[in-house]
């Protein structure tokens, strides 16, 4: 397996697949992998021929286990990494075509935020979804989750940080499809092909309309501001030094 931390594959039908590729870390994101992911998101967003984006993994043990808190960073590095996280969250929200997340294994912390930030979600039967912000004191979770499942249910998941499996995630309306973990990416690609077969200009307009009507850009900008303040002036994410 290549040591590139994030891989990108272009399919013939206007679909791109971005796969996180740090299996030894369960795709926990460090500064290097975040920079690579953000650059890919910017590059793909500028592709007028793109019709759908699938966010996936090279190993079904995890889509993403959050931030790599074993990364050695000084204070400035911690702030820079948090800025990269906020850039990613904003980029996924503003992405011009539908984003489909392959939700397998550990989807924790930032991984849960990627799941919630996607337009559509396909879950594997090994899903372990959890919002870890309350445990670590991180001001993250409400912006993306509450519009998806309602404020009351979002409070339960964000305040407790409890693990949600595939069955409960489907019952909450978080998952649009469910499959065996090894088949989840194929199911996501099938869904992406259905989206890609629609009128491409119309889908882009609809994506913007959903974003405008839900005011997700404003919600995420507010939460991102709180995240940066937390890293600059509060405890910040744990980091090895």
């Amino acid at each position: 397996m290549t040591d590139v931390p994030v891989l990108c594959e272009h399919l013939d039908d206007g679909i791109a697949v971005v796969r996180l590729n740090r299996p030894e870390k369960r795709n926990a994101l460090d500064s290097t992998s975040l920079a690579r992911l953000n650059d890919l998101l910017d590059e793909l967003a500028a592709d007028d021929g793109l019709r759908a984006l699938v966010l996936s993994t090279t190993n079904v043990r995890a889509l993403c286990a959050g931030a790599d808190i074993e990364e050695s960073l000084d204070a400035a590095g911690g702030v820079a990494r948090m800025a990269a996280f906020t850039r990613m969250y904003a980029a996924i929200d503003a992405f011009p075509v539908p984003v489909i997340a392959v939700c397998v294994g550990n989807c924790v912390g930032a991984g849960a935020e990627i799941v919630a930030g996607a337009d559509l979600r396909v879950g594997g039967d090994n899903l372990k979804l959890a919002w870890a912000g309350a445990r670590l004191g991180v001001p993250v979770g409400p912006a993306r989750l509450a519009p998806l499942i309602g404020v009351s249910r979002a409070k339960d998941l964000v305040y407790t940080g409890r693990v949600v499996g595939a069955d409960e995630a489907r019952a909450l309306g978080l998952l649009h499809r469910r499959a065996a973990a090894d088949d989840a990416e194929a199911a996501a690609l099938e869904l992406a092909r259905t989206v890609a077969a629609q009128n491409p200009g119309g889908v882009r307009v609809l994506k913007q309309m959903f974003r405008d009507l839900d005011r997700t850009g404003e919600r995420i900008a507010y939460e991102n501001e709180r995240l940066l303040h937390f890293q600059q002036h509060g405890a910040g994410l744990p980091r090895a030094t």
Side-chain angles (χ1 to χ4, degrees):
M1 181 70 69
T2 176
D3 59 0
V4 177
V6 186
L7 307 175
C8 183
E9 180 183 6
H10 291 267
L11 305 182
D12 292 337
D13 40 9
I15 299 168
V17 185
V18 169
R19 298 182 180 92
L20 302 184
N21 182 42
R22 302 187 79 212
E24 74 286 356
K25 293 283 189 176
R26 299 199 179 198
N27 291 331
L29 294 166
D30 64 358
S31 300
T32 299
S33 54
L34 274 167
R36 167 72 173 163
L37 177 56
N38 282 329
D39 287 347
L40 282 172
L41 289 171
D42 288 345
E43 177 186 321
L44 291 167
D47 182 354
D48 292 337
L50 195 68
R51 298 192 176 200
L53 172 64
V54 174
L55 296 179
S56 189
T57 172
T58 58
N59 190 305
V60 299
R61 292 178 62 206
L63 173 62
C64 176
D68 183 358
I69 61 174
E70 295 182 353
E71 180 181 14
S72 180
L73 295 171
D74 58 14
V79 172
R81 184 178 63 183
M82 182 62 81
F85 273 112
T86 64
R87 177 185 164 195
M88 176 188 67
Y89 297 148
I92 291 174
D93 174 65
F95 203 77
V97 301
V99 177
I100 302 169
V102 178
C103 311
V104 290
N106 292 114
C107 300
V108 180
E113 299 303 327
I114 291 172
V115 168
D119 296 281
L120 301 168
R121 290 160 289 278
V122 175
D125 57 8
N126 67 339
L127 176 63
K128 295 178 181 177
L129 177 63
W131 277 261
R135 176 169 54 85
L136 299 173
V138 185
V140 68
R144 281 164 287 277
L145 186 59
L148 295 180
I149 64 173
V151 172
S152 181
R153 288 174 170 176
K155 285 179 178 179
D156 173 24
L157 300 190
V158 171
Y159 290 162
T160 67
R162 64 183 181 82
V163 176
V164 176
D167 289 340
E168 183 179 4
R170 186 71 184 270
L172 288 169
L174 281 170
L175 299 182
H176 300 88
R177 303 284 190 279
R178 188 180 185 281
D182 288 336
D183 300 327
E185 183 179 291
L189 288 172
E190 182 180 355
L191 182 56
R193 292 186 185 99
T194 300
V195 171
Q198 311 308 308
N199 180 282
V203 170
R204 284 176 176 254
V205 170
L206 288 166
K207 171 70 186 274
Q208 187 62 51
M209 288 176 64
F210 276 117
R211 184 169 183 257
D212 290 345
L213 290 168
D214 285 344
R215 297 186 173 181
T216 57
E218 295 176 26
R219 298 173 66 91
I220 290 167
Y222 168 76
E223 192 168 273
N224 280 348
E225 182 179 351
R226 298 295 297 263
L227 281 167
L228 283 172
H229 187 273
F230 165 76
Q231 194 67 42
Q232 292 168 333
H233 306 291
L237 284 175
R239 61 182 188 271
T241 55

